[in-house]
Amino acid sequence: MKKNLLIWQLLTLGAMLAPSLYLLFVWPQLPAQVPTHFDSAGQPNDYIGRDHM
């Protein structure tokens, strides 16, 4: 029973850490300005700097 709990805890921890690790990997490749809002035609009309994300 405890072995199953440990496995689920490790899987949960991995699922929680994966997005952060991915962001650390791709951070240098992000553009300096990232669109944050889009109009009804799908065109970006508001931006934020990468450092404020």
Side-chain angles (χ1 to χ4, degrees):
M1 187 77 165
K2 288 187 179 187
K3 186 176 181 181
N4 280 343
L5 180 61
L6 178 63
I7 291 172
W8 280 110
Q9 287 175 336
L10 290 174
L11 287 173
T12 301
L13 181 62
M16 291 172 54
L17 289 177
S20 297
L21 294 174
Y22 176 72
L23 181 60
L24 286 173
F25 179 73
V26 300
W27 187 261
Q29 300 169 10
L30 290 176
Q33 293 287 319
V34 180
T36 57
H37 190 268
F38 298 86
D39 62 16
S40 60
Q43 299 300 315
N45 59 10
D46 194 16
Y47 295 87
I48 191 169
R50 172 179 63 189
D51 297 332
H52 296 321
M53 292 177 57

